[in-house]
Coordinates of all heavy atoms in Angstrom, one line a residue:
M39 N 0.8 -1.2 0.0 CA 0.0 0.0 0.0 C 0.9 1.3 0.0 O 0.7 2.2 -0.8 CB -1.0 0.0 1.2 CG -2.0 1.1 1.2 SD -3.3 0.8 0.0 CE -4.5 2.0 0.4
V40 N 1.8 1.3 0.9 CA 2.6 2.5 1.0 C 3.6 2.7 -0.2 O 3.7 3.7 -0.7 CB 3.5 2.5 2.3 CG1 4.5 3.6 2.4 CG2 2.6 2.5 3.6
A41 N 4.1 1.5 -0.6 CA 5.0 1.5 -1.7 C 4.2 2.0 -3.0 O 4.8 2.8 -3.7 CB 5.6 0.2 -2.0
S42 N 3.0 1.4 -3.1 CA 2.3 1.8 -4.4 C 1.8 3.2 -4.3 O 1.8 3.9 -5.3 CB 1.1 0.9 -4.6 OG -0.2 1.5 -4.2
R43 N 1.6 3.7 -3.0 CA 1.1 5.2 -2.9 C 2.3 6.1 -3.3 O 2.1 7.0 -4.0 CB 0.7 5.5 -1.6 CG 0.3 6.8 -1.2 CD -0.2 6.9 0.2 NE -0.1 8.2 0.8 CZ -0.1 8.4 2.1 NH1 -0.2 7.4 2.9 NH2 0.1 9.6 2.6
S44 N 3.5 5.7 -2.8 CA 4.6 6.7 -3.2 C 5.0 6.6 -4.6 O 5.5 7.5 -5.3 CB 5.7 6.4 -2.2 OG 6.2 5.1 -2.4
A45 N 4.9 5.4 -5.2 CA 5.1 5.2 -6.6 C 4.1 6.0 -7.4 O 4.5 6.6 -8.5 CB 5.0 3.7 -7.0
R46 N 2.8 6.0 -7.1 CA 1.8 6.7 -7.8 C 2.1 8.3 -7.6 O 1.9 9.1 -8.5 CB 0.5 6.5 -7.2 CG -0.2 5.2 -7.7 CD -1.3 4.8 -6.8 NE -2.1 3.6 -7.4 CZ -3.1 3.6 -8.1 NH1 -3.7 4.8 -8.4 NH2 -3.6 2.5 -8.6
E47 N 2.6 8.6 -6.4 CA 3.0 10.0 -6.1 C 4.0 10.5 -7.1 O 4.0 11.6 -7.7 CB 3.4 10.2 -4.7 CG 3.1 11.5 -4.0 CD 3.3 11.6 -2.6 OE1 4.5 11.5 -2.1 OE2 2.3 11.5 -1.9
R48 N 5.0 9.7 -7.2 CA 6.1 10.0 -8.2 C 5.8 10.2 -9.6 O 6.1 11.0 -10.4 CB 7.3 9.0 -8.0 CG 8.2 9.2 -6.9 CD 9.5 8.3 -7.0 NE 9.3 6.9 -7.1 CZ 9.1 6.2 -6.1 NH1 9.1 6.6 -4.9 NH2 8.9 4.9 -6.2
K49 N 4.9 9.1 -10.0 CA 4.3 9.2 -11.3 C 3.4 10.5 -11.6 O 3.7 11.1 -12.6 CB 3.4 8.0 -11.5 CG 2.8 7.9 -12.9 CD 2.0 6.5 -13.0 CE 1.4 6.4 -14.4 NZ 0.1 7.1 -14.5
A50 N 2.6 10.8 -10.6 CA 1.8 12.0 -10.8 C 2.7 13.3 -10.8 O 2.5 14.1 -11.6 CB 0.8 12.1 -9.5
G51 N 3.7 13.3 -10.0 CA 4.6 14.4 -10.0 C 5.4 14.5 -11.3 O 5.6 15.7 -11.8
A52 N 5.8 13.4 -11.8 CA 6.5 13.5 -13.1 C 5.7 13.9 -14.3 O 6.1 14.7 -15.0 CB 7.1 12.1 -13.4
E53 N 4.5 13.4 -14.2 CA 3.6 13.8 -15.3 C 3.1 15.3 -15.2 O 2.8 15.9 -16.2 CB 2.3 12.9 -15.3 CG 2.7 11.4 -15.8 CD 1.6 10.7 -16.4 OE1 0.5 10.9 -16.0 OE2 1.9 9.9 -17.3
A54 N 2.9 15.6 -14.0 CA 2.4 17.1 -13.9 C 3.4 18.1 -14.1 O 3.0 19.3 -14.4 CB 1.9 17.3 -12.4
G55 N 4.8 17.7 -14.2 CA 5.7 18.7 -14.5 C 6.3 19.5 -13.4 O 5.8 19.3 -12.3
P56 N 7.3 20.3 -13.8 CA 8.0 21.0 -12.7 C 7.2 22.1 -12.0 O 7.6 22.5 -10.9 CB 9.2 21.8 -13.5 CG 8.7 21.8 -14.9 CD 7.8 20.6 -15.1
L57 N 6.1 22.7 -12.5 CA 5.3 23.7 -11.7 C 4.5 23.1 -10.6 O 4.0 23.8 -9.8 CB 4.5 24.4 -12.7 CG 5.0 25.7 -13.5 CD1 3.9 26.2 -14.4 CD2 5.5 26.6 -12.5
A58 N 4.3 21.8 -10.7 CA 3.3 21.1 -9.8 C 3.9 20.5 -8.6 O 5.1 20.1 -8.6 CB 2.5 20.0 -10.6
T59 N 3.2 20.4 -7.5 CA 3.4 19.6 -6.4 C 2.3 18.6 -6.3 O 1.2 18.9 -6.2 CB 3.5 20.4 -5.1 OG1 2.3 21.1 -5.0 CG2 4.6 21.4 -5.1
A60 N 2.7 17.3 -6.5 CA 1.8 16.2 -6.5 C 1.9 15.5 -5.1 O 3.0 15.1 -4.7 CB 1.9 15.3 -7.6
K61 N 0.8 15.2 -4.6 CA 0.8 14.5 -3.3 C -0.3 13.6 -3.2 O -1.4 13.9 -3.7 CB 0.8 15.6 -2.1 CG 1.4 15.2 -0.8 CD 1.4 16.4 0.2 CE 1.7 15.8 1.6 NZ 1.3 14.5 1.9
I62 N -0.2 12.5 -2.5 CA -1.4 11.6 -2.3 C -1.6 11.3 -0.9 O -0.7 10.9 -0.1 CB -1.1 10.2 -3.0 CG1 -1.0 10.5 -4.6 CG2 -2.3 9.3 -2.8 CD1 -0.5 9.3 -5.3
D63 N -2.7 11.6 -0.3 CA -3.1 11.3 1.1 C -4.1 10.1 1.1 O -4.6 9.8 0.0 CB -3.8 12.6 1.7 CG -2.7 13.6 2.1 OD1 -1.5 13.2 2.2 OD2 -3.0 14.8 2.1
L64 N -4.4 9.7 2.2 CA -5.5 8.7 2.4 C -6.7 9.4 3.1 O -6.4 10.1 4.0 CB -5.0 7.5 3.1 CG -4.0 6.7 2.5 CD1 -3.5 5.5 3.4 CD2 -4.5 6.1 1.2
D65 N -7.8 9.1 2.6 CA -9.1 9.8 3.3 C -9.5 8.7 4.4 O -8.9 7.7 4.7 CB -10.1 10.1 2.4 CG -10.8 8.8 1.6 OD1 -10.5 7.7 2.1 OD2 -11.6 9.1 0.7
A66 N -10.6 9.0 5.1 CA -11.1 8.2 6.1 C -11.4 6.8 5.7 O -11.4 5.8 6.4 CB -12.5 8.9 6.7
Q67 N -11.8 6.6 4.4 CA -12.1 5.2 3.9 C -10.8 4.6 3.3 O -11.0 3.7 2.6 CB -13.2 5.4 2.8 CG -14.5 5.6 3.2 CD -14.9 7.0 3.7 OE1 -14.5 7.9 3.0 NE2 -15.5 7.2 4.9
Q68 N -9.7 5.2 3.6 CA -8.4 4.6 3.2 C -8.4 4.7 1.5 O -7.6 3.9 0.9 CB -8.2 3.2 3.5 CG -8.1 3.1 5.0 CD -6.9 3.8 5.7 OE1 -5.8 3.5 5.3 NE2 -7.2 4.7 6.5
Q69 N -9.1 5.7 1.0 CA -9.0 5.9 -0.4 C -7.9 6.9 -0.7 O -7.6 7.8 0.1 CB -10.3 6.5 -1.0 CG -11.3 5.5 -1.3 CD -12.2 6.2 -2.5 OE1 -12.1 5.7 -3.5 NE2 -13.0 7.1 -2.1
F70 N -7.2 6.8 -1.9 CA -6.3 7.8 -2.3 C -7.0 9.1 -2.5 O -8.0 9.2 -3.1 CB -5.5 7.4 -3.6 CG -4.6 6.2 -3.4 CD1 -4.6 5.2 -4.4 CD2 -3.7 6.2 -2.4 CE1 -3.7 4.2 -4.2 CE2 -2.9 5.1 -2.2 CZ -2.8 4.1 -3.1
V71 N -6.3 10.2 -2.0 CA -6.8 11.5 -2.3 C -5.6 12.3 -3.0 O -4.5 12.4 -2.5 CB -7.2 12.2 -1.1 CG1 -7.6 13.7 -1.5 CG2 -8.3 11.6 -0.3
Y72 N -5.8 12.5 -4.3 CA -4.8 13.1 -5.2 C -4.9 14.7 -4.9 O -5.9 15.3 -5.1 CB -4.9 12.9 -6.6 CG -4.6 11.5 -6.9 CD1 -5.6 10.5 -6.9 CD2 -3.4 11.1 -7.2 CE1 -5.3 9.1 -7.2 CE2 -3.0 9.8 -7.6 CZ -4.0 8.8 -7.5 OH -3.6 7.6 -7.8
K73 N -3.7 15.2 -4.6 CA -3.6 16.7 -4.4 C -2.6 17.3 -5.4 O -1.4 16.8 -5.3 CB -3.2 17.1 -3.0 CG -4.1 16.6 -2.0 CD -3.7 17.1 -0.7 CE -4.8 16.6 0.5 NZ -4.3 17.1 1.8
I74 N -2.9 18.0 -6.2 CA -2.0 18.7 -7.0 C -2.0 20.2 -6.9 O -3.0 20.8 -6.9 CB -2.3 18.5 -8.6 CG1 -2.2 17.0 -8.8 CG2 -1.3 19.2 -9.5 CD1 -2.5 16.5 -10.3
G75 N -0.9 20.8 -6.6 CA -0.8 22.2 -6.3 C 0.1 22.9 -7.3 O 0.9 22.2 -8.0
C76 N 0.0 24.3 -7.5 CA 0.7 25.0 -8.4 C 1.8 25.9 -7.7 O 1.4 26.7 -6.9 CB -0.2 25.9 -9.3 SG 0.7 26.8 -10.4
T77 N 3.0 25.5 -7.9 CA 4.0 26.3 -7.2 C 4.2 27.7 -7.5 O 4.4 28.5 -6.9 CB 5.4 25.6 -7.4 OG1 5.7 25.6 -8.8 CG2 5.5 24.2 -6.8
S78 N 3.8 28.0 -8.9 CA 3.8 29.4 -9.3 C 2.8 30.1 -8.7 O 3.0 31.3 -8.3 CB 3.8 29.3 -10.9 OG 3.7 30.6 -11.4
C79 N 1.6 29.7 -8.7 CA 0.5 30.4 -8.1 C 0.6 30.6 -6.6 O 0.0 31.5 -6.0 CB -0.8 29.8 -8.5 SG -1.3 29.9 -10.3
V80 N 1.3 29.7 -6.0 CA 1.5 29.8 -4.5 C 2.1 31.1 -4.3 O 1.8 31.9 -3.3 CB 2.3 28.7 -3.9 CG1 2.8 28.9 -2.6 CG2 1.4 27.4 -3.9
T81 N 3.2 31.5 -5.0 CA 4.1 32.5 -4.8 C 3.3 33.9 -5.1 O 3.6 35.0 -4.5 CB 5.4 32.6 -5.4 OG1 5.1 32.3 -6.8 CG2 6.2 31.4 -4.9
K82 N 2.5 33.8 -6.1 CA 1.9 35.0 -6.7 C 0.6 35.6 -5.9 O 0.3 36.6 -5.7 CB 1.5 34.9 -8.2 CG 2.8 35.0 -9.1 CD 2.4 34.9 -10.5 CE 3.5 34.7 -11.4 NZ 3.1 33.9 -12.6
N83 N -0.1 34.5 -5.4 CA -1.4 34.8 -4.8 C -1.4 34.5 -3.4 O -0.6 33.6 -3.0 CB -2.5 34.2 -5.5 CG -2.6 34.5 -7.0 OD1 -2.4 35.7 -7.3 ND2 -2.9 33.6 -7.9
Q84 N -2.3 35.0 -2.6 CA -2.5 34.6 -1.2 C -3.0 33.2 -1.2 O -2.5 32.4 -0.4 CB -3.4 35.5 -0.5 CG -2.8 36.9 -0.2 CD -1.8 36.9 0.8 OE1 -1.1 36.0 1.0 NE2 -1.9 38.0 1.7
S85 N -4.0 32.9 -1.9 CA -4.6 31.5 -2.0 C -3.9 30.8 -3.1 O -4.0 31.1 -4.3 CB -6.0 31.6 -2.2 OG -6.4 32.3 -3.4
A86 N -3.3 29.6 -2.7 CA -2.7 28.8 -3.7 C -3.7 28.0 -4.5 O -4.7 27.7 -4.0 CB -1.7 27.9 -3.0
W87 N -3.3 27.8 -5.8 CA -4.1 26.9 -6.6 C -3.9 25.5 -6.2 O -2.7 25.1 -6.2 CB -4.0 27.2 -8.1 CG -4.9 26.5 -8.9 CD1 -6.1 26.8 -9.4 CD2 -4.8 25.1 -9.4 NE1 -6.7 25.8 -10.1 CE2 -6.0 24.8 -10.1 CE3 -3.8 24.1 -9.3 CZ2 -6.1 23.5 -10.7 CZ3 -4.0 22.8 -9.9 CH2 -5.2 22.6 -10.6
S88 N -4.9 24.7 -6.0 CA -4.7 23.3 -5.9 C -6.0 22.6 -6.1 O -7.1 23.2 -6.0 CB -4.1 22.9 -4.4 OG -5.0 23.2 -3.5
T89 N -5.9 21.3 -6.4 CA -7.0 20.5 -6.6 C -6.9 19.2 -5.8 O -5.8 18.7 -5.6 CB -7.2 20.3 -8.1 OG1 -8.5 19.5 -8.3 CG2 -6.1 19.5 -8.7
Y90 N -8.1 18.8 -5.3 CA -8.1 17.6 -4.5 C -9.1 16.6 -5.1 O -10.3 17.0 -5.4 CB -8.7 17.9 -3.0 CG -7.8 18.9 -2.3 CD1 -8.0 20.2 -2.5 CD2 -6.8 18.5 -1.5 CE1 -7.3 21.2 -1.9 CE2 -6.0 19.4 -0.8 CZ -6.3 20.7 -1.0 OH -5.5 21.7 -0.3
R91 N -8.8 15.4 -5.4 CA -9.8 14.4 -6.0 C -9.5 13.1 -5.3 O -8.3 12.6 -5.2 CB -9.6 14.3 -7.4 CG -10.2 15.5 -8.2 CD -11.7 15.7 -8.0 NE -12.2 16.8 -8.9 CZ -12.1 18.0 -8.4 NH1 -11.7 18.3 -7.2 NH2 -12.7 19.1 -9.2
S92 N -10.6 12.5 -4.8 CA -10.3 11.1 -4.2 C -10.7 10.1 -5.1 O -11.3 10.2 -6.1 CB -11.2 11.1 -2.9 OG -12.5 11.2 -3.2
G93 N -10.2 8.8 -4.8 CA -10.4 7.6 -5.7 C -9.2 7.3 -6.3 O -8.3 8.2 -6.6
D94 N -9.1 6.1 -6.7 CA -7.7 5.6 -7.3 C -7.6 6.2 -8.7 O -7.1 7.3 -8.8 CB -7.8 4.0 -7.4 CG -7.6 3.5 -6.0 OD1 -7.3 4.2 -5.1 OD2 -8.0 2.3 -5.8
D95 N -7.8 5.5 -9.8 CA -7.6 6.0 -11.2 C -8.5 7.2 -11.5 O -8.1 8.1 -12.1 CB -7.7 4.9 -12.1 CG -6.5 3.9 -11.9 OD1 -5.5 4.2 -11.3 OD2 -6.8 2.8 -12.2
N96 N -9.7 7.1 -11.1 CA -10.6 8.2 -11.3 C -10.1 9.5 -10.7 O -10.2 10.6 -11.3 CB -12.0 7.9 -10.8 CG -12.8 7.0 -11.6 OD1 -12.4 6.8 -12.8 ND2 -13.8 6.4 -11.1
G97 N -9.7 9.4 -9.5 CA -9.2 10.6 -8.8 C -7.9 11.1 -9.5 O -7.7 12.4 -9.6
Y98 N -7.1 10.3 -9.9 CA -5.9 10.6 -10.5 C -6.2 11.4 -11.8 O -5.7 12.5 -12.1 CB -5.1 9.4 -10.9 CG -3.8 9.7 -11.7 CD1 -2.6 10.2 -11.0 CD2 -3.8 9.5 -13.0 CE1 -1.5 10.5 -11.8 CE2 -2.6 9.8 -13.7 CZ -1.5 10.3 -13.1 OH -0.4 10.6 -13.8
L99 N -7.1 10.8 -12.6 CA -7.5 11.5 -13.9 C -8.2 12.8 -13.7 O -7.9 13.8 -14.4 CB -8.4 10.6 -14.7 CG -7.8 9.4 -15.4 CD1 -8.9 8.6 -16.0 CD2 -7.0 10.0 -16.5
A100 N -9.1 12.9 -12.8 CA -9.8 14.2 -12.4 C -8.9 15.2 -11.9 O -9.0 16.4 -12.4 CB -10.9 13.8 -11.4
A101 N -7.9 14.8 -11.1 CA -7.1 15.9 -10.6 C -6.1 16.3 -11.7 O -5.8 17.5 -11.9 CB -6.2 15.3 -9.4
M102 N -5.7 15.3 -12.5 CA -4.7 15.7 -13.6 C -5.4 16.5 -14.7 O -4.8 17.5 -15.2 CB -4.1 14.3 -14.3 CG -2.8 14.6 -15.0 SD -1.5 15.4 -14.0 CE -0.9 14.0 -13.2
D103 N -6.7 16.2 -14.9 CA -7.4 16.9 -15.9 C -7.5 18.5 -15.5 O -7.3 19.4 -16.3 CB -8.9 16.5 -16.1 CG -9.0 15.2 -16.9 OD1 -7.9 14.7 -17.3 OD2 -10.1 14.7 -17.0
R104 N -7.8 18.7 -14.3 CA -8.0 20.0 -13.7 C -6.6 20.7 -13.7 O -6.5 21.9 -14.1 CB -8.5 20.1 -12.3 CG -10.0 19.8 -12.2 CD -10.6 20.5 -11.1 NE -10.4 21.9 -11.1 CZ -10.3 22.7 -10.1 NH1 -10.4 22.2 -8.8 NH2 -10.0 23.9 -10.2
W105 N -5.5 20.0 -13.5 CA -4.2 20.6 -13.5 C -3.8 20.9 -14.9 O -3.2 22.0 -15.2 CB -3.2 19.6 -12.9 CG -1.7 19.9 -13.1 CD1 -0.8 19.2 -13.9 CD2 -1.1 21.2 -12.6 NE1 0.4 20.0 -13.8 CE2 0.2 21.1 -13.1 CE3 -1.5 22.2 -11.8 CZ2 1.1 22.1 -12.8 CZ3 -0.5 23.2 -11.5 CH2 0.7 23.1 -12.0
I106 N -4.1 20.0 -15.9 CA -3.8 20.4 -17.3 C -4.5 21.6 -17.8 O -3.9 22.5 -18.4 CB -4.2 19.1 -18.2 CG1 -3.3 17.9 -18.0 CG2 -4.2 19.6 -19.6 CD1 -3.9 16.6 -18.5
L107 N -5.8 21.8 -17.4 CA -6.5 22.9 -17.8 C -5.9 24.2 -17.1 O -5.9 25.3 -17.7 CB -7.9 22.8 -17.5 CG -8.6 21.7 -18.3 CD1 -10.0 21.3 -17.8 CD2 -8.7 22.0 -19.8
H108 N -5.6 24.0 -15.8 CA -4.9 25.2 -15.1 C -3.6 25.6 -15.8 O -3.5 26.9 -16.1 CB -4.6 24.8 -13.7 CG -3.9 25.9 -13.0 ND1 -4.5 27.0 -12.5 CD2 -2.6 26.1 -12.7 CE1 -3.6 27.7 -11.9 NE2 -2.4 27.3 -12.0
L109 N -2.8 24.7 -16.2 CA -1.6 24.9 -17.0 C -1.8 25.6 -18.3 O -1.2 26.7 -18.5 CB -0.8 23.7 -17.3 CG 0.2 23.1 -16.3 CD1 0.9 21.9 -16.8 CD2 1.2 24.2 -16.0
T110 N -2.8 25.2 -19.0 CA -3.0 25.8 -20.4 C -3.6 27.2 -20.2 O -3.4 28.1 -21.0 CB -3.9 25.0 -21.2 OG1 -5.1 24.6 -20.5 CG2 -3.2 23.6 -21.6
E111 N -4.4 27.4 -19.1 CA -5.1 28.7 -18.9 C -4.2 29.7 -18.3 O -4.2 30.9 -18.6 CB -6.4 28.6 -18.1 CG -7.5 27.9 -18.8 CD -8.8 27.5 -17.9 OE1 -8.7 27.9 -16.7 OE2 -9.6 26.9 -18.5
R112 N -3.3 29.3 -17.4 CA -2.7 30.3 -16.5 C -1.1 30.3 -16.9 O -0.5 31.2 -16.6 CB -2.7 30.0 -15.0 CG -4.2 30.1 -14.5 CD -4.6 31.5 -14.7 NE -6.0 31.7 -14.4 CZ -6.6 31.9 -13.1 NH1 -5.7 32.2 -12.1 NH2 -7.8 32.1 -13.0
H113 N -0.6 29.2 -17.4 CA 0.8 29.2 -17.6 C 1.1 28.7 -19.1 O 1.7 27.6 -19.3 CB 1.4 28.2 -16.7 CG 1.1 28.5 -15.2 ND1 1.6 29.7 -14.7 CD2 0.3 27.9 -14.4 CE1 1.1 29.7 -13.4 NE2 0.3 28.7 -13.2
A114 N 0.5 29.5 -20.0 CA 0.8 29.1 -21.4 C 2.3 29.0 -21.7 O 3.1 29.9 -21.3 CB 0.1 30.1 -22.3
G115 N 2.6 28.0 -22.4 CA 4.1 27.8 -22.7 C 4.8 27.0 -21.7 O 6.0 26.6 -22.0
A116 N 4.2 26.6 -20.6 CA 4.8 25.7 -19.6 C 4.9 24.4 -20.2 O 4.1 24.0 -21.0 CB 4.0 25.8 -18.3
E117 N 6.0 23.7 -19.8 CA 6.3 22.4 -20.3 C 5.9 21.3 -19.2 O 6.2 21.6 -18.1 CB 7.7 22.2 -20.6 CG 8.3 23.1 -21.7 CD 8.1 22.5 -23.1 OE1 7.9 21.2 -23.2 OE2 8.1 23.2 -24.0
A118 N 5.0 20.4 -19.6 CA 4.8 19.2 -18.7 C 4.4 18.1 -19.5 O 3.6 18.2 -20.5 CB 3.7 19.7 -17.7
P119 N 4.9 16.9 -19.2 CA 4.5 15.6 -19.9 C 3.0 15.5 -19.9 O 2.5 14.9 -20.9 CB 5.2 14.5 -19.0 CG 6.2 15.2 -18.2 CD 5.7 16.6 -18.0
C120 N 2.2 15.8 -18.9 CA 0.8 15.6 -18.9 C 0.0 16.4 -20.0 O -1.1 16.1 -20.3 CB 0.2 15.9 -17.5 SG 0.3 17.7 -17.1
L121 N 0.7 17.4 -20.6 CA 0.1 18.2 -21.6 C -0.3 17.4 -22.9 O -1.2 17.8 -23.7 CB 0.8 19.5 -21.9 CG 1.0 20.5 -20.9 CD1 1.9 21.6 -21.3 CD2 -0.4 21.1 -20.6
V122 N 0.3 16.3 -23.1 CA 0.0 15.4 -24.2 C -1.5 14.9 -24.0 O -2.1 14.5 -25.0 CB 0.9 14.2 -24.4 CG1 2.2 14.7 -24.7 CG2 0.9 13.3 -23.3
Y123 N -2.0 15.0 -22.8 CA -3.4 14.4 -22.5 C -4.4 15.6 -22.6 O -5.6 15.5 -22.3 CB -3.5 13.8 -21.2 CG -2.5 12.8 -20.9 CD1 -1.6 12.8 -20.0 CD2 -2.6 11.7 -21.7 CE1 -0.6 11.7 -19.7 CE2 -1.6 10.6 -21.6 CZ -0.7 10.7 -20.5 OH 0.2 9.7 -20.4
L124 N -4.0 16.8 -23.1 CA -4.9 17.9 -23.1 C -6.3 17.6 -23.9 O -7.3 17.9 -23.4 CB -4.3 19.1 -23.7 CG -5.1 20.4 -23.8 CD1 -5.7 20.9 -22.5 CD2 -4.3 21.6 -24.6
P125 N -6.1 17.0 -25.1 CA -7.5 16.8 -25.8 C -8.4 15.9 -25.0 O -9.5 16.1 -24.9 CB -6.9 16.0 -27.2 CG -5.6 16.5 -27.3 CD -5.0 16.6 -25.8
Q126 N -7.8 14.7 -24.4 CA -8.6 13.9 -23.5 C -9.2 14.7 -22.3 O -10.3 14.5 -21.9 CB -7.9 12.7 -23.0 CG -7.5 11.7 -24.2 CD -6.1 11.9 -24.7 OE1 -5.6 13.1 -24.9 NE2 -5.3 11.0 -24.8
A127 N -8.4 15.5 -21.7 CA -8.8 16.3 -20.6 C -10.0 17.1 -20.9 O -11.0 17.3 -20.2 CB -7.6 17.1 -19.9
Q128 N -9.9 17.9 -22.0 CA -10.9 18.8 -22.5 C -12.2 18.0 -22.7 O -13.3 18.4 -22.5 CB -10.4 19.6 -23.7 CG -9.6 20.7 -23.3 CD -8.9 21.4 -24.4 OE1 -8.8 20.8 -25.5 NE2 -8.7 22.7 -24.4
Q129 N -12.0 16.9 -23.4 CA -13.2 16.1 -23.7 C -13.9 15.5 -22.5 O -15.1 15.7 -22.4 CB -12.8 14.9 -24.5 CG -14.0 14.2 -25.1 CD -13.6 12.9 -26.0 OE1 -12.4 12.7 -26.3 NE2 -14.6 12.0 -26.2
R130 N -13.1 15.1 -21.5 CA -13.7 14.6 -20.2 C -14.4 15.8 -19.5 O -15.5 15.5 -18.9 CB -12.7 14.0 -19.3 CG -12.3 12.6 -19.7 CD -11.5 11.9 -18.7 NE -10.2 12.4 -18.6 CZ -9.1 11.9 -19.2 NH1 -9.2 10.8 -19.9 NH2 -7.9 12.5 -19.0
L131 N -13.8 16.9 -19.5 CA -14.4 18.0 -19.0 C -15.8 18.4 -19.5 O -16.8 18.7 -18.9 CB -13.5 19.3 -18.9 CG -13.9 20.3 -17.9 CD1 -13.3 20.0 -16.6 CD2 -13.3 21.6 -18.4
Q132 N -15.8 18.3 -20.9 CA -17.0 18.6 -21.6 C -18.2 17.6 -21.3 O -19.3 18.0 -21.0 CB -16.7 18.6 -23.1 CG -18.0 18.9 -23.9 CD -17.6 20.0 -25.0 OE1 -16.5 20.3 -25.1 NE2 -18.6 20.5 -25.6
E133 N -17.7 16.3 -21.3 CA -18.6 15.3 -20.9 C -19.3 15.5 -19.5 O -20.4 15.3 -19.3 CB -18.0 13.9 -21.0 CG -17.8 13.5 -22.5 CD -16.8 12.3 -22.6 OE1 -16.2 11.8 -21.6 OE2 -16.6 11.8 -23.7
R134 N -18.4 16.0 -18.6 CA -18.9 16.2 -17.2 C -19.9 17.3 -17.2 O -20.9 17.4 -16.5 CB -17.7 16.5 -16.3 CG -17.3 15.2 -15.5 CD -16.1 15.5 -14.7 NE -15.0 14.6 -15.0 CZ -13.8 15.0 -15.2 NH1 -13.5 16.2 -15.1 NH2 -12.9 14.2 -15.6
R135 N -19.5 18.4 -18.0 CA -20.4 19.5 -17.9 C -21.8 19.3 -18.6 O -22.8 19.8 -18.2 CB -19.8 20.7 -18.8 CG -18.9 21.5 -18.1 CD -18.5 22.8 -18.9 NE -17.4 23.4 -18.3 CZ -16.3 23.8 -19.0 NH1 -16.3 23.5 -20.4 NH2 -15.3 24.3 -18.4
E136 N -21.8 18.3 -19.5 CA -23.1 18.0 -20.1 C -23.8 16.9 -19.4 O -24.8 16.3 -19.8 CB -22.8 17.4 -21.6 CG -22.3 18.5 -22.5 CD -21.7 18.0 -23.9 OE1 -21.6 16.8 -24.0 OE2 -21.3 18.8 -24.7
G137 N -23.2 16.4 -18.3 CA -23.8 15.5 -17.4 C -23.8 14.1 -17.9 O -24.5 13.1 -17.5
F138 N -22.9 13.9 -18.9 CA -22.7 12.5 -19.5 C -21.9 11.7 -18.4 O -20.8 12.1 -18.0 CB -22.0 12.6 -20.8 CG -21.6 11.3 -21.4 CD1 -22.6 10.4 -21.9 CD2 -20.3 10.8 -21.3 CE1 -22.2 9.1 -22.5 CE2 -19.9 9.7 -21.8 CZ -20.8 8.8 -22.4
Q139 N -22.4 10.5 -18.1 CA -21.6 9.7 -17.1 C -21.0 8.5 -17.8 O -21.8 7.6 -18.3 CB -22.7 9.2 -16.1 CG -23.2 10.2 -15.2 CD -22.2 10.9 -14.3 OE1 -21.3 10.2 -13.8 NE2 -22.3 12.2 -14.1
P140 N -19.7 8.4 -18.0 CA -19.1 7.3 -18.8 C -19.2 6.1 -17.9 O -19.2 6.2 -16.6 CB -17.7 7.7 -18.9 CG -17.4 8.9 -18.0 CD -18.8 9.5 -17.7
S141 N -19.6 4.9 -18.4 CA -19.7 3.7 -17.6 C -18.3 3.2 -17.1 O -17.4 3.5 -17.7 CB -20.5 2.7 -18.4 OG -19.7 2.5 -19.6
Ligands
ZN459 ZN1 -0.7 28.1 -11.5

């Protein structure tokens, strides 16, 4: 459990890129809670940008989607491996807005 959690944390951090801080906590149900924070927005604003999503792979995807959109909206030109998933992230966001529930 602990090993897989830190491995996932490293993977999330690597994919999110140098601007992000990726962290995984456990909630009361022992589910993973993915937290991605923006190091750039921490220094510029009083309130740091960050996102929290619980659940294993769903939580990972949801947190990473929000991070990808934050990067493209606020830090145009920033480099991060996760940006290759931008089209999928935008599509998933759109599906959520339309209330479409993927099975
Ligand atoms: Zn930011």
Side-chain angles (χ1 to χ4, degrees):
M39 190 70 169
V40 174
S42 101
R43 179 175 153 201
S44 60
R46 280 164 178 263
E47 208 169 73
R48 277 196 301 276
K49 178 175 180 278
E53 292 208 324
L57 275 180
T59 54
K61 208 173 167 327
I62 298 176
D63 286 338
L64 292 175
D65 69 9
Q67 283 80 44
Q68 299 296 300
Q69 278 211 100
F70 289 138
V71 180
Y72 288 90
K73 302 183 178 183
I74 299 178
C76 180
T77 55
S78 176
C79 290
V80 167
T81 52
K82 281 179 195 155
N83 301 322
Q84 290 285 39
S85 60
W87 186 91
S88 64
T89 183
Y90 304 85
R91 289 293 183 276
S92 61
D94 291 341
D95 292 334
N96 282 343
Y98 178 78
L99 278 176
M102 199 58 82
D103 284 356
R104 286 212 54 213
W105 170 244
I106 290 167
L107 294 169
H108 175 79
L109 268 184
T110 54
E111 284 170 8
R112 297 296 171 93
H113 308 289
E117 298 272 340
C120 62
L121 289 175
V122 300
Y123 305 119
L124 177 62
Q126 290 97 315
Q128 284 171 330
Q129 191 186 344
R130 278 192 292 264
L131 199 80
Q132 181 129 12
E133 285 166 356
R134 263 177 239 133
R135 277 197 192 123
E136 289 165 2
F138 174 73
Q139 297 291 323
S141 55

